[in-house]
């Protein structure tokens, strides 16, 4: 089990600057997600950690060893890195057991004991003699994970490993992988563009933007206290409303809202964050009247778009509710915001 530290990391491909000074500390034994949209440099960062690419500047340290830095480049096979690519990349002509044991010394491959114990760990005990095509997509990803763990790595790197799975299977395999890492105590770094995946799986989340880490913290911190409006809209659903702050209260088209006490924002024009679950549908008159424009039922909750009656600009708000009757388009509702809100000076990202 090792920690990972990235300091001032730069990487360009030709004239295209991909990473522009990335700083990141991953605690030993944690599962950290690197979250960003396609093209943000997530996979490049992972490949630099694995040693498949060399950094233009900066350092990467795994445990007490600098593996990439000025005058230093440790070969991938000497970094004790387990790597799980997006598609698993199993050898189709080898059995599951042989795939898992592929990176082991010959003496450890004989008898298959190590491989079988790893298959038991990932919930595939007894399937060692099957071939990859005889397994489901989720099972194949677990085999790839067992193969990565076989070498007893210091760190496991996962490059969007659940992207090819269907939604239901993705959720169950994610939960299994999370539990496997917790039991093994392995340091793991997961690259993903899926906000739900990052928030539900990782101990800590690093949001990558413009080649730098824009915010790094617990999933709860990134969702409840995003660093700016752009991150608020990227991490989960967000209503971003214009307002005017004065005396700790923000005047918005959804009423007068108390500002989060920890937010240090000067008085004046601001951008306000209201999460959909902060908005309640009130049956009485104590709130802002509006009409439903869309209703989407998800089983565990429902998401509505509502047009406030007095909004000349026509900007709708998103509301998330649990329970209650279906509200078809045109239904009249009254909106009330629950709890304090975050805000940033107008003009900030």
């Amino acid at each position: 089990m090792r920690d990972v530290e990235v300091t001032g990391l730069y990487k360009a491909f030709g004239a295209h600057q991909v990473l522009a000074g990335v700083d990141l500390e991953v605690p030993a034994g944690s599962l950290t997600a690197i979250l960003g949209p396609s093209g943000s440099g997530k996979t490049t960062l992972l490949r630099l950690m694995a040693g498949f690419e060399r950094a233009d500047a900066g350092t990467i340290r795994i445990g007490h060893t600098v593996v990439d830095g000025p005058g230093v480049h440790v070969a991938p096979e000497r970094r004790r890195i387990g790597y799980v690519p997006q598609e698993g990349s199993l050898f189709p002509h080898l059995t599951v057991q042989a795939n898992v044991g592929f990176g082991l010394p010959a003496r450890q491959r004989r008898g298959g004991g190590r491989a079988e114990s790893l298959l038991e760990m990932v919930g595939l005990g007894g399937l060692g003699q099957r071939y990859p095509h005889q397994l489901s997509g989720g099972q194949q990803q677990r085999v790839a994970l067992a193969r990565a763990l076989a070498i007893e790595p210091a760190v496991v790197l996962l490059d969007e490993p659940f992207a090819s799975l269907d939604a239901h299977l993705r959720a169950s395999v994610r939960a299994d992988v999370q539990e496997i890492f917790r039991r093994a105590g392995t340091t793991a770094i997961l690259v993903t563009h899926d906000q739900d995946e990052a928030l539900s799986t990782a101990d800590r989340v690093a949001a990558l933007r413009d080649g730098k880490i824009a915010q790094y913290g617990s999933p709860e911190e990134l969702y409840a206290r995003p660093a700016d409006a752009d991150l608020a809209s990227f991490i989960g659903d967000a209503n971003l409303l214009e307002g005017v702050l004065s005396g700790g209260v923000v005047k918005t088209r959804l009423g007068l809202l108390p500002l989060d006490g920890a937010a240090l924002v000067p008085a004046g024009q601001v951008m306000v964050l209201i999460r959909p679950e902060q908005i309640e549908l009130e049956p009485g008159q104590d709130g802002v009247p509006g009409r439903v424009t869309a209703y989407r039922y998800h089983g565990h909750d429902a998401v509505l778009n509502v047009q406030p009656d007095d909004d000349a600009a026509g900007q709708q708000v998103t509301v998330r509710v649990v329970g209650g009757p279906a509200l078809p388009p045109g239904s009249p509702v009254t909106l009330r915001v629950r709890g304090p809100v975050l805000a940033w000076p107008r003009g900030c990202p």
Side-chain angles (χ1 to χ4, degrees):
M1 185 165 57
R2 300 284 189 276
D3 66 329
V4 178
E5 183 178 25
V6 174
T7 307
L9 205 63
Y10 284 80
K11 181 63 180 179
F13 295 100
H16 179 50
Q17 188 76 51
V18 179
L19 301 178
V22 170
D23 295 311
L24 180 66
E25 292 185 16
V26 178
S30 70
L31 173 54
T32 292
I34 300 172
L35 174 66
S38 297
S40 62
K42 307 182 301 297
T43 294
T44 296
L45 178 55
L46 209 68
R47 289 178 62 81
L48 287 169
M49 292 179 185
F52 302 151
E53 306 280 354
R54 296 192 68 164
D56 297 332
T59 61
I60 301 172
R61 177 182 58 79
I62 299 175
H64 299 296
T65 304
V66 174
V67 296
D68 200 343
V72 178
H73 182 74
V74 177
E77 65 272 15
R78 295 180 54 212
R79 295 191 182 193
R80 289 191 58 210
I81 291 285
Y83 189 81
V84 181
Q86 186 173 122
E87 300 296 336
S89 298
L90 301 179
F91 299 111
H93 63 290
L94 296 181
T95 64
V96 165
Q97 180 177 299
N99 265 282
V100 172
F102 182 79
L104 295 174
R107 59 182 175 78
Q108 292 189 38
R109 289 201 302 267
R110 285 193 292 269
R114 171 71 175 155
E116 187 55 40
S117 67
L118 285 164
L119 288 172
E120 290 282 354
M121 177 186 290
V122 300
L124 297 177
L127 301 184
Q129 297 311 307
R130 294 192 184 182
Y131 286 85
H133 72 272
Q134 296 174 310
L135 303 180
S136 68
Q139 289 173 326
Q140 290 183 31
Q141 283 301 89
R142 292 181 202 174
V143 174
L145 177 58
R147 183 175 62 186
L149 291 171
I151 61 171
E152 298 183 339
V155 180
V156 173
L157 307 177
L158 303 104
D159 187 4
E160 306 228 30
F162 315 118
S164 61
L165 305 178
D166 64 64
H168 176 71
L169 188 57
R170 189 160 57 240
S172 67
V173 174
R174 265 191 335 231
D176 290 343
V177 168
Q178 187 181 35
E179 179 59 26
I180 289 164
F181 282 132
R182 293 203 193 289
R183 290 204 313 266
T186 304
T187 306
I189 300 173
L190 165 71
V191 154
T192 181
H193 66 275
D194 186 323
Q195 299 92 334
D196 289 341
E197 184 168 287
L199 296 179
S200 65
T201 306
D203 303 309
R204 296 175 65 80
V205 179
L208 187 62
R209 183 179 65 192
D210 299 329
K212 296 182 179 180
I213 302 298
Q215 189 172 357
Y216 183 42
S218 69
E220 295 81 7
E221 288 171 351
L222 265 71
Y223 185 79
R225 307 194 62 79
D228 54 48
D230 277 353
L231 280 174
S233 58
F234 179 63
I235 301 172
D237 296 326
N239 295 296
L240 295 172
L241 310 181
E242 296 180 352
V244 178
L245 173 63
S246 177
V249 176
V250 188
K251 182 180 180 180
T252 75
R253 59 194 178 90
L254 294 185
L256 297 174
L257 309 176
L259 183 70
D260 187 307
L264 302 177
V265 184
Q269 294 187 330
V270 294
M271 187 65 70
V272 179
L273 166 65
I274 303 174
R275 293 294 188 188
E277 59 272 17
Q278 284 184 264
I279 303 177
E280 297 178 335
L281 299 182
E282 289 290 312
Q285 299 301 311
D286 183 19
V288 176
R291 290 191 177 272
V292 175
T293 60
Y295 179 91
R296 297 176 296 280
Y297 180 69
H298 297 285
H300 46 74
D301 62 16
V303 177
L304 298 79
N305 289 349
V306 177
Q307 174 68 60
D309 289 348
D310 60 354
D311 184 9
Q315 183 181 1
Q316 300 179 24
V317 296
T318 302
V319 183
R320 181 177 290 114
V321 297
V322 178
L327 295 170
S331 300
V333 293
T334 303
L335 307 176
R336 187 170 69 86
V337 178
R338 181 182 69 252
V341 296
L342 286 181
W344 301 274
R346 194 90 57 85
C348 288

